[in-house]
Amino acid sequence: MQIFLKCKAAIIKREGSSKMKEKVTFHHAVTMYLRGIKELHKVSPKFFPILTFYCIVNAVTPYITVFFSAQILKELATFRREDILWKWVAIGVLSVGIVSALKAVLKHRYDTLFNDLWGRKEIIFIQKLFSLDFEEIDKQENHDLRSQIQQNENWMGWGLMKIPNVYENFVTGMIGILSGITLTISLFTAQVPKEAGWLTVFNNPLFIFIFAAIMIGVSVLAGKFSAASTKCQSTLSSQATMGNRLFGHFGFVGMDKERSIDMRMNNQQNLIGAYWNKNLAFGVDGPSGKMARGKMGIYASLGVCITTLITGFIYVFTCLKAWGGAFDVGSITQYVGAATTMAGNIFLLTGLIGVMETNTGYLDKTFEFLDIPNAMYQGSLTTEKRADRRYEVEFKDVSFHYPGSDIWALRHVSMKFKVGERLAIVGENGSGKTTFIKLLCRLYDPQEGQILLNGIDIRKYRYDDYMNIFSVVFQDFQLICQPLGANVAGNMQYDHDRVYQALVDAGFGERLTSMEKGLDTMIYKNLSEDGVDISGGEAQKIAIARALYKDAPFIILDEPTAALDPIAEAEIYEKFDKIAGDKTAIYISHRLSSCKFCDEIAVFEEGAVVQQGSHEALVSDTNGKYYELWNAQAQYYTE
Ligand code: ADP
């Protein structure tokens, strides 16, 4: 109980902290980025090492060119020794060639890994979704949060996928600055000779300090303008999200096979066009276009203008020192080249502050989703594999209402499943049949009462272990675009004979023999041109085969045949009954005729079990609910 309460407290805490942080601290931003890097590294371990290597090579490349050009110019301006000149040219060309080739290879590798990462990072979200409590998946706010994260990413790569860009600029900027300092140290230490008059002022250490301060100050200012421009973009977030939603929905709606006929017949394309034109977030005259022409553009150009000032300042300083005789013309090339590249790197780093700050808000959203706590208690007991399949399940005075609803979907339900028995659950729509199965499969925990497996509360078992004792075919079962055999086995590797037998038992045998590729036939055409489209009835048989292949001690059919006519449904149930063998089987149906062969029938009404017994016993109770339902349905069918 203590554990359950702790988990609930974690949920309440999350609900209170879902607002966006007003002010992002440096420490918080760094923590978020480091966590993001860790998450991405887990799904693509080669990405960051390759990116780091690429950044180093990319950062030093311009300095190599600057260095060798300077050496050649120095030699030309002084001794003009042919052999030395050849040496510098040869080493220079070779070095630049090797580094450029290496950079090209690394860039290609980095681009490939980056594209791969776009897909791979989805694993992080998919794993989270599959590990979430079912109750959390039900909540609309969690769906909204996930789609918001996706929209931010689609818009400008905000969120996790901005991290590689920030990392690249950070490492490149830092390495660039360090390389620049190495090549420019002598610019400051070289002394202007005394005879140069007033120019000796450059020898004063204070001047060097002022120079460095101006350089850094102006770069920071340029970075601030760049950051302000970036922040302007993020204010468009909500409109961009809407724009992306429109694009995601209306942009592809025409490809939806099931909608296409209805769309044409009702001229829905006109509606789509009109709505789309009114909501063009990214149009030239939309908010994004207007902002680009307004303050966003102005901030960006101010940033660039200021960077040019830095370059001018470096030129003047270097030339004046050379004029005073501190160094030769070759060194001017080295210092000017290195210092301007370094200023560019400082600008890169300071500009990053704005991106980092803005993106931290988006990362907060991402981690808010990834940190949704699971409130359901996870037990550690194993459901020892019993050869005799004697698994007894009992509902003991169970009551349950869905999260956010005050209405009891189940009330005081007590029931014991006898091993190997056929149990039918019948009742009108909304009487609680599916909810009963959802609790049995522990998609939710009851608020009152207990569900016991062999006398122990099911919460105390390991969930995956517990689920292994059930094969369920839900009403809205789903097959995926994968080969038939893999669909049945739920695995790419499987026992072909058993899958084949399960399909034959489920009544799919004839159709299977007509399939040229047999179990390797791709289901649906979404991923493969030679995939096959299957009818609803065929899909149902595959879903039933899947349940048979699992060969679990409990088998549950939750109205998977609702779309069939009553006779076809009854046939499937009876056939299934034969196949189910010694398993405990539970059938859910709102059609009573389909289940009369069952040993025991439980009648649900408004969340409670109002009657229980064999068909004969129930139908003879003329005052009971079963009798009422039976007569109502029988009358309908005979008509
Ligand atoms: P049945 O399977 O007999 O048709 P259900 O078990 O699906 O009935 O539903 C029982 C009750 O629970 C109904 O009143 C239904 O509206 C409600 N209910 C079902 N699913 C949810 C849900 N996810 N959230 C809130 N109420 C639900």
Side-chain angles (χ1 to χ4, degrees):
M1 193 61 190
Q2 192 69 16
I3 304 166
F4 301 153
L5 286 178
K6 263 191 198 165
C7 294
K8 276 280 171 222
I11 290 272
I12 293 163
K13 204 169 151 205
R14 180 179 92 79
E15 280 165 0
S17 69
S18 64
K19 283 196 197 106
M20 200 106 155
K21 278 192 168 53
E22 292 291 317
K23 182 90 189 130
V24 177
T25 63
F26 181 70
H27 176 257
H28 177 67
V30 171
T31 313
M32 291 293 103
Y33 272 81
L34 288 179
R35 180 167 171 202
I37 290 174
K38 217 165 116 188
E39 296 284 352
L40 293 175
H41 182 67
K42 268 194 259 171
V43 292
S44 182
K46 285 187 187 153
F47 181 76
F48 283 102
I50 294 287
L51 175 55
T52 310
F53 195 17
Y54 165 71
C55 292
I56 296 171
V57 174
N58 187 29
V60 298
T61 305
Y63 294 106
I64 293 177
T65 317
V66 165
F67 176 76
F68 285 107
S69 310
Q71 301 316 309
I72 293 164
L73 275 176
K74 269 185 204 170
E75 191 58 34
L76 279 172
T78 52
F79 307 111
R80 301 171 67 85
R81 290 164 296 184
E82 200 179 327
D83 57 331
I84 301 289
L85 271 171
W86 275 119
K87 188 187 87 182
W88 283 124
V89 170
I91 300 175
V93 170
L94 202 66
S95 310
V96 172
I98 290 172
V99 171
S100 302
L102 187 61
K103 189 176 139 185
V105 169
L106 288 169
K107 174 82 174 95
H108 182 70
R109 186 90 182 97
Y110 160 44
D111 284 346
T112 314
L113 284 167
F114 183 76
N115 290 335
D116 178 59
L117 191 65
W118 266 101
R120 273 182 191 277
K121 59 106 185 34
E122 291 303 322
I123 297 172
I124 301 170
F125 295 101
I126 291 170
Q127 278 174 347
K128 180 65 191 175
L129 275 169
F130 277 102
S131 69
L132 269 183
D133 278 355
F134 204 72
E135 184 177 329
E136 295 296 327
I137 294 177
D138 260 2
K139 287 184 186 160
Q140 189 53 39
E141 69 196 61
N142 290 335
H143 286 270
D144 287 348
L145 183 57
R146 174 69 190 108
S147 80
Q148 203 182 336
I149 293 166
Q150 206 154 18
Q151 301 296 341
N152 294 335
E153 192 179 280
N154 290 348
W155 176 37
M156 280 188 64
W158 292 117
L160 279 181
M161 289 314 287
K162 194 56 111 189
I163 293 179
N165 170 262
V166 170
Y167 183 89
E168 179 185 347
N169 288 346
F170 178 76
V171 178
T172 308
M174 289 304 282
I175 304 283
I177 290 170
L178 288 177
S179 315
I181 289 174
T182 319
L183 287 189
T184 47
I185 278 183
S186 51
L187 164 67
F188 299 102
T189 52
Q191 297 289 307
V192 177
K194 282 199 181 80
E195 48 282 12
W198 70 272
L199 288 171
T200 52
V201 69
F202 293 127
N203 295 338
N204 191 329
L206 187 66
F207 190 85
I208 295 168
F209 176 75
I210 293 170
F211 179 86
I214 291 175
M215 280 270 287
I216 292 170
V218 176
S219 299
V220 168
L221 192 64
K224 287 239 176 242
F225 280 120
S226 154
S229 171
T230 310
K231 274 192 181 168
C232 286
Q233 287 173 337
S234 77
T235 59
L236 293 174
S237 175
S238 61
Q239 282 133 313
T241 300
M242 188 59 198
N244 266 322
R245 259 191 211 172
L246 277 173
F247 178 70
H249 181 66
F250 286 145
F252 302 97
V253 80
M255 290 166 71
D256 189 340
K257 272 195 217 164
E258 273 151 33
R259 282 175 184 265
S260 58
I261 296 177
D262 203 50
M263 275 184 65
R264 281 167 194 237
M265 301 314 289
N266 293 296
N267 272 334
Q268 286 183 337
Q269 62 271 35
N270 294 341
L271 291 176
I272 294 170
Y275 192 71
W276 189 309
N277 286 339
K278 260 199 229 156
N279 292 282
L280 273 180
F282 302 112
V284 180
D285 292 319
S288 171
K290 279 186 190 147
M291 197 168 265
R293 292 198 297 271
K295 61 178 181 179
M296 184 164 81
I298 294 171
Y299 282 139
S301 52
L302 276 175
V304 175
C305 288
I306 289 178
T307 318
T308 320
L309 273 183
I310 301 176
T311 315
F313 190 65
I314 294 166
Y315 263 96
V316 172
F317 176 72
T318 313
C319 291
L320 283 176
K321 267 194 108 168
W323 180 259
F327 38 73
D328 55 52
V329 67
S331 301
I332 296 179
T333 315
Q334 176 169 324
Y335 298 142
V336 168
T340 24
T341 310
M342 191 162 69
N345 283 314
I346 296 173
F347 178 63
L348 196 68
L349 277 187
T350 50
L352 215 54
I353 296 169
V355 180
M356 233 179 130
E357 195 183 342
T358 307
N359 195 44
T360 301
Y362 294 106
L363 284 177
D364 281 340
K365 284 273 156 218
T366 305
F367 293 128
E368 185 184 333
F369 177 79
L370 294 179
D371 289 339
I372 295 174
N374 277 345
M376 273 175 113
Y377 174 68
Q378 299 300 332
S380 55
L381 288 182
T382 57
T383 55
E384 42 173 321
K385 304 265 175 293
R386 298 181 68 120
D388 61 0
R389 292 181 178 256
R390 292 201 71 82
Y391 291 102
E392 270 186 359
V393 176
E394 183 182 2
F395 273 58
K396 234 178 158 180
D397 198 20
V398 167
S399 295
F400 171 77
H401 59 75
Y402 282 93
S405 164
D406 304 333
I407 304 162
W408 291 102
L410 287 185
R411 197 70 183 131
H412 300 303
V413 172
S414 292
M415 199 185 295
K416 201 167 186 170
F417 305 149
K418 298 188 188 105
V419 179
E421 201 187 54
R422 285 14 178 175
L423 171 72
I425 312 265
V426 299
E428 287 167 311
N429 281 342
S431 57
K433 304 183 296 293
T434 298
T435 307
F436 178 77
I437 297 303
K438 283 182 181 167
L439 291 196
L440 179 63
C441 296
R442 230 201 135 197
L443 295 179
Y444 301 93
D445 280 336
Q447 283 88 11
E448 290 176 18
Q450 276 185 313
I451 304 169
L452 308 172
L453 171 68
N454 291 347
I456 298 171
D457 192 320
I458 60 170
R459 286 179 275 209
K460 296 196 174 149
Y461 291 100
R462 282 175 47 135
Y463 185 68
D464 49 353
D465 234 35
Y466 177 70
M467 281 315 295
N468 274 339
I469 66 169
F470 296 102
S471 291
V472 192
V473 186
F474 281 111
Q475 192 170 19
D476 49 358
F477 61 84
Q478 301 290 330
L479 301 179
I480 54 168
C481 311
Q482 281 296 310
L484 172 63
N487 258 292
V488 172
N491 204 319
M492 297 311 265
Q493 270 79 45
Y494 54 84
D495 180 332
H496 282 65
D497 293 343
R498 278 189 55 225
V499 167
Y500 185 84
Q501 193 54 49
L503 282 164
V504 171
D505 288 344
F508 195 79
E510 211 174 303
R511 179 77 171 92
L512 182 58
T513 46
S514 74
M515 290 175 156
E516 248 175 61
K517 292 191 177 171
L519 297 181
D520 294 327
T521 308
M522 196 73 156
I523 301 292
Y524 306 125
K525 290 187 182 293
N526 307 48
L527 297 184
S528 164
E529 285 192 3
D530 56 359
V532 293
D533 277 327
I534 45 171
S535 71
E538 287 168 344
Q540 229 152 40
K541 289 174 183 167
I542 298 172
I544 290 173
R546 184 168 61 182
L548 292 174
Y549 181 83
K550 191 173 173 188
D551 194 27
F554 278 84
I555 199 142
I556 302 168
L557 290 194
D558 180 5
E559 297 196 271
T561 50
L564 299 183
D565 63 69
I567 298 172
E569 179 181 334
E571 272 172 15
I572 286 197
Y573 274 30
E574 279 177 51
K575 183 174 171 44
F576 198 80
D577 178 53
K578 288 194 196 92
I579 310 162
D582 63 347
K583 298 177 175 74
T584 306
I586 303 166
Y587 304 110
I588 298 186
S589 179
H590 60 275
R591 284 190 193 127
L592 276 58
S593 57
S594 305
C595 303
K596 61 180 184 181
F597 66 89
C598 289
D599 309 300
E600 182 97 351
I601 298 172
V603 186
F604 274 63
E605 189 180 14
E606 292 179 4
V609 182
V610 289
Q611 274 184 300
Q612 202 168 340
S614 67
H615 168 71
E616 286 70 28
L618 292 176
V619 87
S620 59
D621 177 1
T622 52
N623 293 322
K625 182 76 187 169
Y626 189 83
Y627 179 83
E628 179 195 322
L629 291 172
W630 177 261
N631 275 306
Q633 291 186 3
Q635 196 183 12
Y636 173 73
Y637 296 134
T638 44
E639 270 171 18

